[in-house]
Amino acid sequence: RIKQGVKETSARLLILEHSQDRIKGAYKAEQEQHSELVAETDALQDQLGEQLKMTHELNRQHQLLELRKGNQDEDLAAEMVNLKKEIASLETDNHEVRVRAFNAGTVKIEARQLDERHRDLTERNKALRQDKEGMVVSMAAQEE
């Protein structure tokens, strides 16, 4: 009867250890994905900064052209349309960067949750091992 209890506890312990290994693997994968997303977010933010600088420079050039060309309204109107398109494109890129940054934050939260679950399972695993050791000692004492 005690041997069966030890076997059952050992089986549960093995299942928990396997579960813990899977969780560790998932946690590590989430951490790696998070690191990649953070790096990608940083790169996208750098790109956005460059694009905003370029937009500012294009606006400045547009203003200079407007002053130089005077009556060539059609050319300026076309340039304005192009600038508006470029600004719209930059705003779209900015939105994508913000979405990716938000997703990176979500990954951080999930990683913390996995870490907490990992700690809980580790503590449970430790308690089960102690119970098993106590049973083994108890059985050894009863056999003597």
Side-chain angles (χ1 to χ4, degrees):
R1 188 173 176 209
I2 293 175
K3 287 182 181 180
Q4 183 179 359
V6 170
K7 286 181 183 179
E8 289 175 3
T9 302
S10 295
R12 280 191 233 126
L13 181 61
L14 185 61
I15 290 169
L16 285 173
E17 287 173 346
H18 180 67
S19 176
Q20 183 180 13
D21 289 342
R22 283 195 329 253
I23 290 171
K24 282 180 182 178
Y27 177 73
K28 185 175 180 179
E30 288 292 332
Q31 284 180 324
E32 290 172 3
Q33 182 183 12
H34 168 69
S35 296
E36 291 170 4
L37 287 173
V38 168
E40 185 178 346
T41 299
D42 291 343
L44 289 171
Q45 286 176 336
D46 291 344
Q47 287 177 354
L48 178 62
E50 289 299 317
Q51 289 177 348
L52 290 173
K53 286 179 187 177
M54 188 184 335
T55 300
H56 177 72
E57 178 62 24
L58 288 172
N59 283 333
R60 188 182 69 74
Q61 289 176 6
H62 173 70
Q63 289 172 349
L64 290 174
L65 285 174
E66 189 174 329
L67 291 173
R68 289 180 190 156
K69 291 186 179 181
N71 293 332
Q72 297 177 349
D73 290 336
E74 292 178 7
D75 291 340
L76 290 176
E79 184 70 22
M80 284 295 289
V81 167
N82 289 337
L83 287 174
K84 286 179 182 179
K85 287 179 184 177
E86 191 168 350
I87 288 170
S89 173
L90 289 173
E91 287 175 350
T92 301
D93 292 344
N94 184 21
H95 176 72
E96 290 174 7
V97 167
R98 289 176 187 264
V99 166
R100 287 185 181 156
F102 175 78
N103 289 339
T106 302
V107 169
K108 285 181 185 177
I109 291 169
E110 290 173 358
R112 275 192 227 118
Q113 289 171 344
L114 280 173
D115 189 40
E116 289 174 15
R117 182 149 187 241
H118 176 272
R119 277 195 302 265
D120 291 344
L121 287 173
T122 301
E123 289 174 17
R124 185 173 175 198
N125 192 8
K126 184 178 177 181
L128 286 172
R129 281 186 184 162
Q130 288 173 350
D131 289 347
K132 179 183 174 186
E133 289 172 9
M135 289 176 129
V136 169
V137 168
S138 174
M139 283 178 46
Q142 286 179 354
E143 288 178 4
E144 290 177 7

